């Protein structure tokens, strides 16, 4: 007969409920009541076979959980390392403005090389809403980066919607931006080490000013 502790570990919550009912109804001990419930659950198999099967299931679940945690920790560490300021990396910022919303769009961007060279982007981008404007700003920066081919590029923007969407975070995609997402990801695939990080608006002031300025430019 298996130890009562082993039975408790193997039993599901619903089986524990049934065993307590059986214990009260028939006046059985907790162990005997649980044995009867588990024997019924085993069906054509023996109780020992059921316990072995459930031990294996629990071990598999623990292994999967540990693997998932390890992979998640590794991915987080890699992302954190990539996002850290690097004196040898190019830095870039993007921002899109719309006035009104939807309305005229302007895109702004800055790319700075490790040796101090600066590329600024400021141009009108037609008509659309704020999310489209942000995406077009990111695409403009990525196009310039593809031309320059930096060994490492760290891009910053204040649009959580666009950053989550292009990085495919959160399990959902932004509706109506499919073509912009595809274009941005195609450009990203042509670059080497690339990170994309959200920053609050006050840390994106220069790109914002360039995008605001661009709204006034001819389309």
């Amino acid at each position: 007969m298996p130890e009562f502790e082993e039975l408790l570990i193997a039993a599901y919550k619903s089986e524990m409920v049934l065993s307590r009912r059986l214990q009260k109804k028939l006046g059985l001990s907790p162990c005997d009541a649980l044995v009867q419930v588990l024997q019924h659950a085993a069906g054509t198999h023996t109780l020992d076979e059921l316990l072995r099967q459930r031990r294996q299931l629990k071990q598999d679940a623990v292994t999967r959980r540990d693997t998932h945690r390890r992979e998640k920790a590794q991915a987080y560490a890699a992302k954190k390392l990539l996002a850290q300021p690097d004196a040898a990396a190019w830095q870039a910022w993007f921002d899109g403005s719309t006035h009104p919303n939807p309305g005229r769009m302007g895109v702004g961007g800055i790319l700075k090389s490790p040796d101090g060279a600066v590329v600024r982007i400021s141009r009108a981008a037609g008509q659309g809403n704020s999310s489209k404007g942000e995406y077009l700003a990111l695409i403009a920066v990525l196009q310039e980066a593809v031309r320059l081919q930096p060994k490492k590029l760290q891009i910053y923007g204040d649009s959580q919607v666009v950053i989550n969407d292009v990085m495919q975070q959160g399990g959902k995609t932004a509706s109506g931006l499919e073509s912009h997402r595809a274009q941005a990801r195609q450009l990203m695939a042509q670059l080497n080490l690339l990170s994309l990080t959200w920053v609050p608006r006050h840390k994106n002031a220069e790109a914002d000013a360039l995008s605001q300025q661009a709204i006034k430019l001819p389309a």
Side-chain angles (χ1 to χ4, degrees):
M1 177 69 66
E3 295 290 335
F4 185 46
E5 292 296 327
E6 186 178 5
L7 299 176
L8 290 173
I9 293 171
Y12 298 144
K13 288 184 179 180
S14 60
E15 292 168 340
M16 292 299 302
V17 171
L18 287 174
S19 72
R20 284 193 289 269
R21 290 176 181 172
L22 195 63
Q23 179 185 347
K24 290 181 179 179
K25 183 177 180 180
L26 301 181
L28 300 174
S29 69
C31 183
D32 289 340
L34 190 52
V35 166
Q36 286 197 24
V37 170
L38 292 177
Q39 284 177 333
H40 178 75
T44 59
H45 299 285
T46 66
L47 180 57
D48 286 339
E49 288 172 337
L50 176 70
L51 296 178
R52 280 197 299 271
Q53 182 186 52
R54 293 196 177 178
R55 279 196 299 270
Q56 187 61 52
L57 288 173
K58 286 181 180 291
Q59 183 58 49
D60 291 345
V62 169
T63 301
R64 286 194 301 271
R65 185 186 67 237
D66 290 346
T67 300
H68 176 72
R69 287 177 176 174
R70 183 169 60 254
E71 290 175 348
K72 188 175 181 181
Q74 290 171 345
Y76 175 77
K79 181 179 179 181
K80 187 176 180 181
L81 180 63
L82 189 59
Q84 288 176 348
D86 185 343
W90 281 67
Q91 308 286 313
W93 294 260
F94 74 93
D95 197 21
S97 293
T98 309
H99 185 74
N101 186 21
R104 286 178 56 85
M105 296 185 298
V107 300
I110 310 105
L111 294 94
K112 296 183 179 181
S113 73
D115 59 7
V118 179
V119 178
R120 289 182 173 84
I121 300 167
S122 181
R123 59 173 179 257
Q127 300 284 323
N129 59 29
S130 58
S131 294
K132 183 178 179 181
E134 294 280 6
Y135 243 126
L136 291 176
L138 172 60
I139 288 170
V141 166
L142 289 169
Q143 287 172 333
E144 190 64 22
V146 168
R147 184 183 71 82
L148 294 167
Q149 283 298 310
K151 292 183 179 179
K152 183 177 181 181
L153 176 63
Q154 297 171 324
I155 302 179
Y156 305 94
D158 57 42
S159 174
Q160 193 76 68
V161 170
V162 167
I163 290 175
N164 284 347
D165 189 62
V166 75
M167 299 301 290
Q168 297 182 326
Q169 296 174 340
K172 294 182 179 180
T173 55
S175 177
L177 298 172
E178 293 82 2
S179 62
H180 300 303
R181 183 191 317 116
Q183 185 179 1
R185 291 189 66 82
Q186 185 181 40
L187 291 165
M188 291 166 64
Q190 299 176 54
L191 297 167
N192 296 312
L193 290 173
L194 170 68
S195 67
L196 186 56
T197 305
W198 178 85
V199 292
R201 183 170 293 276
H202 71 273
K203 290 190 176 182
N204 201 32
E206 190 174 358
D208 177 57
L210 289 169
S211 68
Q212 295 285 348
Q213 172 185 316
I215 292 179
K216 303 173 185 178
L217 299 174

